[in-house]
Amino acid sequence: MNRKIKLIWDFRGPAAAKTAEHHEKHLKEFIAAESTSLNITGHTHFGEFHSIAYMVVAENEMIAVRDALKPHRGEVFEDKIS
């Protein structure tokens, strides 16, 4: 089974929320241009001064995407089943 990896970009400071939202647009553009197998992106705000943008990729695509986009960190992505 091919795991899904969540690549994460952290943004801090008073403009963190807007920066994370804007960065997600660029991640969507990358997905369209490179035709990655997954198209999961998002952004999350943790407080006034910390937000993230993220992109989920298949494990077999992770190294190429990581090298191209330089995320700050990554973790195994687990789908939340309701």
Side-chain angles (χ1 to χ4, degrees), residues 9-55:
W9 290 262
D10 289 286
F11 300 99
R12 298 189 184 273
K18 292 283 188 191
T19 305
E21 291 173 21
H22 181 76
H23 193 72
E24 183 186 3
K25 293 177 187 177
H26 291 294
L27 297 175
K28 289 179 180 184
E29 292 170 354
F30 179 85
I31 289 169
E34 298 297 321
S35 301
T36 60
S37 63
L38 300 173
N39 63 353
I40 303 169
T41 63
H43 59 273
T44 304
H45 309 298
F46 296 106
E48 187 177 353
F49 297 106
H50 182 211
S51 295
I52 65 167
Y54 64 87
M55 171 184 184

Side-chain angles (χ1 to χ4, degrees), residues 39-76:
N39 63 353
I40 303 169
T41 63
H43 59 273
T44 304
H45 309 298
F46 296 106
E48 187 177 353
F49 297 106
H50 182 211
S51 295
I52 65 167
Y54 64 87
M55 171 184 184
V56 178
V57 298
E59 187 172 25
N60 63 338
E61 298 174 318
M62 187 275 297
I63 292 176
V65 174
R66 180 200 66 194
D67 291 349
L69 298 180
K70 309 278 192 265
H72 298 132
R73 56 195 172 102
E75 60 189 38
V76 174

